[in-house]
Amino acid sequence: MTGSTRSSSGLDDRRKRLLFRCWHRGTKEMDLILGRFADAAIADLSDHELGQLEHLIELPDPDLYAALTGDGVLPAEYATPLFARIKAFRVVDNDA
């Protein structure tokens, strides 16, 4: 059980792979942040945004988590509008 509430049915292979990778980060905190974002948004991301997500998830969990929580600085090459969406989603999702 991944925690995902979204089926990968109907997604192309690239989106399926990203959905899986977002839910299998290595730390539960990152699984929940990226996995929930992917559940909500993966079907609607543009090819450009998919590329940004693929690039972003190459960051080690501690670095990405610190940037998302404001405890660390995100390298400029990762500071994309998609990162801002994930960070805003995390805040809204945690408030629910």
Side-chain angles (χ1 to χ4, degrees):
M1 175 85 171
T2 65
S4 180
T5 59
R6 189 199 197 294
S7 168
S8 63
S9 177
L11 295 177
D12 59 61
D13 288 343
R14 186 180 187 191
R15 284 177 169 79
K16 286 178 184 178
R17 200 169 28 257
L18 277 168
L19 180 63
F20 180 86
R21 289 183 67 199
C22 285
W23 274 109
H24 295 87
R25 293 290 305 170
T27 62
K28 191 63 172 174
E29 295 83 359
M30 288 307 304
D31 289 353
L32 293 171
I33 293 169
L34 289 178
R36 287 177 179 165
F37 176 80
D39 277 357
I42 197 78
D44 299 320
L45 295 178
S46 69
D47 284 340
H48 182 69
E49 290 170 323
L50 290 173
Q52 290 177 353
L53 183 56
E54 288 166 335
H55 186 61
L56 186 64
I57 64 176
E58 295 304 321
L59 277 172
D61 279 355
D63 297 341
L64 184 52
Y65 185 77
L68 285 166
T69 60
D71 292 335
V73 177
L74 186 70
E77 69 182 280
Y78 298 97
T80 64
L82 184 69
F83 173 79
R85 278 182 61 191
I86 294 169
K87 189 170 183 175
F89 181 86
R90 182 195 67 82
V91 171
V92 171
D93 189 49
N94 284 340
D95 290 343

